[in-house]
Amino acid sequence: MSFSIPHNAPNFASNQRANENAFWGSAGRIHQNGHTNHGIGNSLNGIFENKSLPMYKDKPYSYAASRRQAPWFKRPGVWLAFGAVSLFNFYIFWTYLRPFGRFPVEGGRDSTKSWNWLTKPSDTTADWDLRREAVKDAFKLSWDGYANHAWGMDEYHPITRSGKQMTPNGMGWIIVDALDTLMIMNLTSRLSHAREWISTSLDYNQDHEVNTFETTIRMLGGLLSAHYLSTEFPHLAPLSDDDIGKPGEDLYLEKAADLADRLLGAFDTQSGVPLASVNLKTMKGVASHDDGGASSTAEAASLQLEFKYLAMLMGEKLYWQKAEKVIEVIDNNGMPDGLLPIFIHAEQGTFQGYNIRLGSRGDSYYEYLIKQYLQTSKEEPVYLELWDEALAGVRKHLITYSKRAHFTVLGERQDGLLNKLTPKMDHLVCFMPGTIALGATEGQPLAEAKKSANWTQKQVDEMELAKELTKTCWGMYKAMSTGLAPEITHFEIKDPPQMYRHGPLSSLDTDFSNSHDDSTKWRKDYVIKSQDSHNLQRPETVESLFYMWRITGDVMYREWGWEMFKSFVEYSGVEEGGGFTSLANANKIPPTMKDNMESFWLAETLKYFYLLFSPAELLPLNTIVINTEAHIFPRFKLQRGLKTGWTRKPRDASGMIIDEGSRKLPAAVSDAPAGEKSSVRKLRVVEATADADVDGAVGLVVEQEPKSTSKSFAG
């Protein structure tokens, strides 16, 4: 996508412009240039060489689209009126209102220096420092819009410039989630404002149900990351309040421990698998109000990094034991090839249905396997074993290829491994290529990892898979009119599908510059349904670009990220000081906007952009782990009496649990109706010796196909 200078752009080099920039920087307000497509978003065009908050991260919620599809400055007659009053308004603002700016901007006059790029000619040599500053500017616009219009609220609606609480007194949903981004970007005054709010206003003693998983990854994770960065990297946005010996030294850790104690009630089930929600005041777990009361597998099994790090900090074994018990119960189900259904009964500890996917409700279980291994400095090999088993299962059962360009597709088995593959990828699945690369190299640069004695063809194949999946995810962006990916993408594949186990394919050379030509061969492989064309500002693809850049050193991933960032600025910016919003339809220009800014826009998406454009010395991958909300934790050695408190049950050569000398059926199968159970037993007897596909499903010989009882969830 090219970005030409708008014909009516003002002269950014003029003396008057410099004065205006200084004014807007000092006032802490968002400058509305209004000279291109989308108000506030295009107030950032100068940085280029050319031109209701969902509580559940993995459950796409629908918000009514904004009716304001056309920006105000495109309405008839606006420019004539604007020209007549702009100088007068500028004089009034400069003279009388400048001293009353609510929130200061770091850097004073220098804070808008990078915006002058608009009038500079295109340069073939990228200035990554300037691009990083551009991301920081976008963050400041977003944060200041929230701070000015919805401070302290859990939800922020940038178009109406309003907010809303999710609990009676608020959870600090946006503030806490963005703490470590403020630190990494060195935004000291804004961090001070956030810290003051946490110190004086944040109280988790509220009689209200909250989602166990989301509260853990966002709030507990955000507080723990803030504690880590403020203590180990005191030069990042330094504040005297958290200096050693000061009364506020342990503010973040104290808040984290209080919240964790309230969340522990969710784990009080017969099996130890947590319930979907918990009441913060009573500390009692609450079963899901949907899905037959089951918890999602991802939610139950993506609490471990947070609770294990807190256990290490506090020396409290209970946090550790509660977290690792969940993985033990899950593993004792003995699901084949490490692939799990997306729902689990918390009380029984057994799975519900057969739906298997690495998108919503399944994703971060797999992510946390390899990250738990790395978190404790590779001293818990059971998690590497689980990761390797699951990744082998993904390659065997879920990887296929698109019909024309041979893009690598990580599909779904919505009715279990015995039934047809669905060539569908949630955007959430795009965490996977970066995670695969992280697992293959353990966070080391690729050149260093290859020198290891442990480097084998297995790691070579994994890196190739990571590269191909990253390209597929990037294509999701290029296939859209705005250059911003849809929530869900389907693919055209061959019938029967070409599976990875039949022999991996490499994608064809792809000219993504022709992305808006529907006749382009590769473009036809992507099927974007109208109900899936919304963009929720998700981070997963830029997350993988960050990992791939750090690990491979290939600048291509940075360039892809820069194109993505420009699209976000171009099409999701909101005028009138709002910031940035998610989109109801990202496949038309101008896009239809939602009135909603996701908290992970600040916590994840912009953070990953910033890190992608930063030197690799900032938070080296081989010293940290990053949770599923992009919060930063250190790697540490097992200490303070903490250790792996469980071992896997013995398994036979096919991976099935050995039970009194015979194979044990997975718990989800043992609960199945008698007819289905018989079919699956027959399957186990004749498994995997032939490479026969049943309706494009798996390489198993099936004499009777079991009838699925699972539901298909489109989230």
Side-chain angles (χ1 to χ4, degrees):
M1 181 183 299
S2 62
F3 287 80
S4 58
I5 300 176
H7 69 276
N8 57 347
N11 181 3
F12 279 67
S14 70
N15 293 332
Q16 179 182 355
R17 184 67 189 180
N19 291 333
E20 290 175 359
N21 284 344
F23 158 62
W24 286 106
S26 300
R29 298 176 183 272
I30 308 304
H31 192 176
Q32 301 296 307
N33 291 331
H35 60 272
T36 52
N37 284 342
H38 292 290
I40 185 173
N42 284 284
S43 72
L44 273 176
N45 270 349
I47 66 180
F48 303 140
E49 292 94 328
N50 303 314
K51 191 189 170 194
S52 172
L53 177 73
M55 189 166 183
Y56 306 105
K57 175 184 176 183
D58 72 341
K59 301 176 184 176
Y61 274 57
S62 176
Y63 294 89
S66 167
R67 296 181 181 178
R68 299 162 64 177
Q69 297 185 22
W72 61 271
F73 50 83
K74 285 192 174 181
R75 299 168 193 164
V78 165
W79 283 107
L80 182 62
F82 180 84
V85 302
S86 59
L87 290 177
F88 175 76
N89 285 341
F90 173 74
Y91 173 79
I92 295 296
F93 284 146
W94 178 264
T95 305
Y96 298 103
L97 299 183
R98 180 173 178 254
F100 301 99
R102 293 175 62 184
F103 305 109
V105 176
E106 275 75 356
R109 294 176 183 269
D110 291 337
S111 64
T112 57
K113 184 181 296 182
S114 63
W115 296 20
N116 294 331
W117 287 17
L118 184 62
T119 57
K120 294 183 179 180
S122 178
D123 189 348
T124 56
T125 303
D127 187 327
W128 294 107
D129 289 339
L130 278 177
R131 292 183 175 187
R132 180 176 65 169
E133 289 304 303
V135 176
K136 183 188 290 187
D137 283 342
F139 179 92
K140 290 190 289 187
L141 289 172
S142 302
W143 178 269
D144 292 348
Y146 166 71
N148 281 312
H149 303 302
W151 183 248
M153 298 290 181
D154 295 324
E155 303 178 11
Y156 175 46
H157 308 298
I159 294 177
T160 56
R161 302 185 303 286
S162 61
K164 182 181 177 182
Q165 299 289 28
M166 297 190 306
T167 64
N169 300 319
M171 293 276 290
W173 206 252
I174 293 174
I175 294 173
V176 173
D177 215 8
L179 280 174
D180 55 0
T181 311
L182 290 165
M183 293 178 180
I184 291 169
M185 293 185 178
N186 211 29
L187 297 174
T188 307
S189 65
R190 290 173 177 83
L191 176 63
S192 178
H193 189 215
R195 182 184 170 87
E196 178 186 13
W197 184 89
I198 291 170
S199 177
T200 59
S201 301
L202 182 58
D203 182 4
Y204 289 121
N205 187 30
Q206 301 183 52
D207 189 9
H208 197 85
E209 292 178 21
V210 298
N211 180 269
T212 306
F213 163 73
E214 296 290 352
T215 305
T216 298
I217 65 168
R218 300 196 199 203
M219 300 297 94
L220 183 58
L223 291 165
L224 290 173
S225 182
H227 172 77
Y228 169 58
L229 293 180
S230 64
T231 54
E232 296 299 321
F233 303 92
H235 61 284
L236 295 176
L239 296 177
S240 59
D241 292 346
D242 55 15
D243 288 349
I244 296 176
K246 291 295 183 69
E249 175 187 359
D250 294 325
L251 172 66
Y252 302 130
L253 184 57
E254 289 169 355
K255 291 290 185 181
D258 173 63
L259 177 58
D261 289 343
R262 299 175 187 279
L263 293 170
L264 282 178
F267 294 83
D268 291 338
T269 61
Q270 293 180 24
S271 72
V273 173
L275 294 163
S277 300
V278 64
N279 184 295
L280 290 175
K281 185 177 182 65
T282 65
M283 307 183 194
K284 300 292 186 183
V286 181
S288 173
H289 301 294
D290 300 307
D291 309 317
S295 299
S296 85
T297 302
E299 293 185 354
S302 304
L303 315 168
Q304 287 64 34
L305 295 181
E306 296 79 8
F307 276 94
K308 291 171 87 169
Y309 178 39
L310 182 61
M312 190 277 292
L313 289 171
M314 303 293 292
E316 177 53 72
K317 294 181 181 179
L318 182 62
Y319 298 138
W320 186 282
Q321 293 164 350
K322 292 287 188 181
E324 71 172 2
K325 178 65 175 178
V326 180
I327 307 301
E328 178 184 12
V329 171
I330 285 175
D331 191 53
N332 286 346
N333 277 268
M335 300 308 295
D337 293 329
L339 301 179
L340 312 181
I342 61 173
F343 291 107
I344 186 168
H345 294 290
E347 290 295 339
Q348 299 94 327
T350 56
F351 289 105
Q352 171 182 293
Y354 302 95
N355 195 343
I356 293 172
R357 65 176 179 230
L358 271 72
S360 63
R361 302 177 176 90
D363 49 359
S364 48
Y365 160 73
Y366 304 94
E367 175 189 356
Y368 271 35
L369 293 178
I370 187 61
K371 289 184 176 180
Q372 284 184 83
Y373 172 66
L374 297 175
Q375 180 183 40
T376 51
S377 302
K378 300 182 284 187
E379 293 185 335
E380 296 186 279
V382 65
Y383 297 108
L384 176 61
E385 182 181 342
L386 289 169
W387 164 253
D388 284 341
E389 183 179 297
L391 183 55
V394 167
R395 292 159 68 173
K396 178 180 178 182
H397 298 296
L398 302 182
I399 297 294
T400 187
Y401 300 93
S402 67
K403 186 175 182 178
R404 299 171 184 84
H406 300 163
F407 292 119
T408 298
V409 177
L410 203 170
E412 302 179 355
R413 297 284 183 180
Q414 296 178 348
D415 293 321
L417 295 182
L418 307 180
N419 288 293
K420 188 174 182 179
L421 177 79
T422 301
K424 163 183 173 284
M425 287 177 64
D426 296 353
H427 187 275
L428 289 161
V429 177
C430 289
F431 83 94
M432 193 61 175
T435 304
I436 293 172
L438 175 67
T441 64
E442 299 178 350
Q444 298 181 85
L446 184 58
E448 293 299 316
K450 287 181 176 180
K451 298 176 184 178
S452 169
N454 297 323
W455 188 262
T456 66
Q457 187 61 40
K458 171 179 174 293
Q459 283 77 23
V460 173
D461 293 343
E462 289 174 0
M463 284 303 303
E464 188 60 30
L465 177 58
K467 292 175 183 178
E468 290 292 346
L469 278 172
T470 304
K471 184 177 180 180
T472 301
C473 291
W474 172 233
M476 294 179 185
Y477 285 76
K478 300 304 290 182
M480 297 287 281
S481 299
T482 60
L484 296 173
E487 180 68 7
I488 297 170
T489 302
H490 292 77
F491 294 85
E492 282 198 15
I493 62 174
K494 293 181 178 179
D495 186 14
Q498 169 77 25
M499 302 298 293
Y500 183 95
R501 68 177 179 278
H502 299 149
L505 299 178
S506 295
S507 58
L508 304 181
D509 290 338
T510 307
D511 181 9
F512 283 123
S513 63
N514 255 354
S515 58
H516 303 310
D517 182 358
D518 287 341
S519 66
T520 303
K521 182 178 180 181
W522 70 264
R523 176 65 179 79
K524 294 181 179 180
D525 282 350
Y526 288 83
V527 180
I528 314 297
K529 299 182 179 181
S530 59
Q531 67 268 26
D532 301 329
S533 64
H534 49 292
N535 179 280
L536 300 184
Q537 306 173 297
R538 288 201 184 275
E540 289 77 22
T541 298
V542 68
E543 171 186 350
S544 282
L545 294 179
F546 162 67
Y547 279 109
M548 295 300 290
W549 153 247
R550 284 286 186 93
I551 289 169
T552 69
D554 190 338
V555 73
M556 172 185 70
Y557 298 114
R558 286 181 128 182
E559 294 291 357
W560 287 357
W562 180 239
E563 286 196 47
M564 286 171 54
F565 175 71
K566 289 193 293 186
S567 293
F568 274 116
V569 171
E570 180 76 5
Y571 294 111
S572 66
V574 176
E575 73 272 15
E576 301 176 15
F580 295 86
T581 183
S582 51
L583 303 177
N585 186 351
N587 208 21
K588 68 174 186 176
I589 297 176
T592 307
M593 292 183 169
K594 292 175 177 282
D595 187 13
N596 182 64
M597 181 192 78
E598 307 290 345
S599 78
F600 50 72
W601 167 249
L602 302 179
E604 299 187 75
T605 308
L606 289 176
K607 181 187 295 166
Y608 279 124
F609 276 126
Y610 188 81
L611 291 173
L612 176 63
F613 303 150
S614 294
E617 293 75 24
L618 178 60
L619 303 174
L621 282 181
N622 59 0
T623 65
I624 60 171
V625 288
I626 305 176
N627 89 336
T628 196
E629 189 72 7
H631 294 311
I632 316 295
F633 303 153
R635 300 189 189 190
F636 57 84
K637 296 281 189 180
L638 291 176
Q639 56 188 283
R640 310 185 78 169
L642 302 175
K643 61 181 181 179
T644 310
W646 67 284
T647 56
R648 302 189 75 187
K649 291 183 176 180
R651 284 161 167 77
D652 62 20
S654 67
M656 298 301 296
I657 292 177
I658 299 172
D659 184 16
E660 296 180 357
S662 62
R663 292 179 174 184
K664 177 184 175 182
L665 290 174
V669 175
S670 65
D671 291 338
E676 294 182 25
K677 193 182 302 182
S678 173
S679 298
V680 178
R681 284 198 184 98
K682 192 175 296 184
L683 166 68
R684 301 304 178 201
V685 174
V686 294
E687 69 176 4
T689 56
D691 192 25
D693 282 319
V694 177
D695 200 14
V698 295
L700 304 172
V701 178
V702 183
E703 296 185 26
Q704 180 181 352
E705 181 178 298
K707 180 181 178 183
S708 171
T709 58
S710 69
K711 297 180 180 179
S712 174
F713 294 89

